[in-house]
Amino acid sequence: MKVFSKIADLQNELFEARKNKKTVGLVPTMGALHAGHASLVKRSVSDNDVTVVSVFVNPTQFNDKTDLNTYPRTLDEDCKLLESVGADFVFAPSVEEVYPSPDTRSFEFPPVTTVMEGAHRPGHFNGVCQVVSRLFYIVRPDKAYFGEKDWQQIAVIKALVKYLGLKLYIVECPIVREEDGLAKSSRNTLLASDERSVAPMIFKYLNESVDYAKKHTLKETHDWVVDSINAVDGLEVEYFSIVDGDTLQDVENWEDSSDTVGCITVYCGKKPVRLIDHIKYNAK
């Protein structure tokens, strides 16, 4: 496995790979890697001749400087994990390498960029689109891999690919969870032990809501999830939106969509740590 910090060095290697008709997969990450990331890399390794993993904490997608500064950075450990699962190239650039000048491009794909995370974190998805489009142009992958935990992000990336007219296939990969149900996340490392012990309640109530929904209205289900999680000491729901899985528009009744997904963001602990998850109801 080779590690690059410079765009030109990575592109020289990829030029040789393409000259030999090799396919290229990209797994974009912000580091602090875990088994969820490993599953994406393994999928790319199985699908492609060459797998590139980017490790870059992107400043333009943070609207909270404290969140940016405290985001875990563990490159040495990340590289050990990536080598163990078969990654070929790691791209770990500096901010100056990715953004030699300020990125003033604006990406808006309403409604997918304006609801949920888009409403609660202004500018977040613009920053995501800035860095992902840069990575797409740098690597020119045949396929790119994203985890379903960030359900809305996948919809945004698909809109970006369509807007840019790229010949690129976005591969969606299932959530990887801890044994107690908590969705694996780099942010989990920021949880104190007592906070970590209550965090699985998020998925517990999401999971139970699937059965609850069979005998209750959509609004009743929504309110039950929010009230149940908020009743747990140390958890506070920022939002819970039950939406159409494709359009991300709010759904009022179960009959209104055949692909209904509940997307949630919860603050956990005193700091607090922001955790996201989702559950599929009558999904396809």
Side-chain angles (χ1 to χ4, degrees):
M1 188 181 78
K2 296 182 179 180
V3 181
F4 301 99
S5 61
K6 298 296 184 183
I7 293 171
D9 294 337
L10 173 64
Q11 288 182 327
N12 286 339
E13 288 280 351
L14 292 174
F15 176 79
E16 290 299 318
R18 287 199 186 83
K19 195 165 68 173
N20 293 310
K21 307 297 183 183
K22 293 184 177 180
T23 57
V24 177
L26 170 65
V27 183
T29 83
M30 292 208 299
L33 305 184
H34 49 68
H37 297 105
S39 70
L40 304 183
V41 178
K42 289 176 183 177
R43 176 72 183 274
S44 177
V45 169
S46 70
D47 289 351
N48 304 281
D49 300 312
V50 175
T51 290
V52 180
V53 181
S54 62
V55 178
F56 178 65
V57 181
N58 174 43
T60 70
Q61 69 189 70
F62 287 83
N63 56 350
D64 181 342
K65 287 187 177 180
T66 300
D67 195 14
L68 170 62
N69 293 335
T70 59
Y71 199 88
R73 292 163 171 82
T74 56
L75 182 60
D76 290 343
E77 291 86 349
D78 293 344
C79 286
K80 290 176 185 176
L81 183 150
L82 292 173
E83 189 159 29
S84 73
V85 293
D88 298 289
F89 303 143
V90 175
F91 181 47
S94 65
V95 173
E96 293 73 24
E97 185 72 7
V98 176
Y99 301 114
S101 59
D103 194 335
T104 59
R105 294 174 300 159
S106 179
F107 297 96
E108 287 293 342
F109 308 115
V112 295
T113 54
T114 55
V115 298
M116 297 189 297
E117 291 292 284
H120 290 270
R121 300 177 68 188
H124 169 68
F125 283 126
N126 191 63
V128 169
C129 289
Q130 287 176 341
V131 72
V132 171
S133 63
R134 286 284 289 146
L135 291 171
F136 286 168
Y137 288 137
I138 292 166
V139 177
R140 291 175 49 220
D142 299 287
K143 296 179 180 179
Y145 297 77
F146 294 86
E148 287 186 347
K149 181 172 74 71
D150 296 294
W151 186 270
Q152 185 175 8
Q153 178 175 271
I154 291 176
V156 172
I157 297 302
K158 286 182 174 179
L160 174 69
V161 169
K162 184 177 180 180
Y163 173 75
L164 297 176
L166 300 177
K167 293 181 179 179
L168 166 63
Y169 184 71
I170 301 301
V171 181
E172 305 170 33
C173 300
I175 290 180
V176 176
R177 298 186 180 276
E178 304 286 358
E179 288 186 10
D180 56 15
L182 179 64
K184 284 186 176 289
S185 169
S186 303
R187 296 177 188 272
N188 293 351
T189 61
L190 303 175
L191 297 170
S193 59
D194 59 328
E195 297 166 346
R196 175 63 185 81
S197 67
V198 299
M201 301 299 285
I202 299 169
F203 181 65
K204 174 182 182 295
Y205 287 117
L206 284 179
N207 197 37
E208 290 178 3
S209 74
V210 175
D211 282 335
Y212 185 93
K214 294 174 182 177
K215 297 181 180 179
H216 295 82
T217 66
L218 188 147
K219 185 180 186 308
E220 287 171 340
T221 303
H222 170 278
D223 293 347
W224 181 82
V225 169
V226 173
D227 292 344
S228 298
I229 293 175
N230 282 342
V232 177
D233 188 30
L235 297 181
E236 182 181 352
V237 176
E238 181 180 44
Y239 70 81
F240 178 48
S241 297
I242 301 178
V243 300
D244 179 88
D246 292 323
T247 68
L248 304 188
Q249 290 297 282
D250 285 334
V251 177
E252 293 186 2
N253 302 291
W254 295 122
E255 300 78 20
D256 293 345
S257 171
S258 61
D259 183 17
T260 311
V261 181
C263 299
I264 198 165
T265 294
V266 180
Y267 287 108
C268 180
K270 297 176 182 178
K271 293 180 182 177
V273 178
R274 194 171 186 272
L275 303 175
I276 66 173
D277 206 339
H278 75 267
I279 195 75
K280 298 178 183 178
Y281 292 105
N282 54 338
K284 294 175 183 175

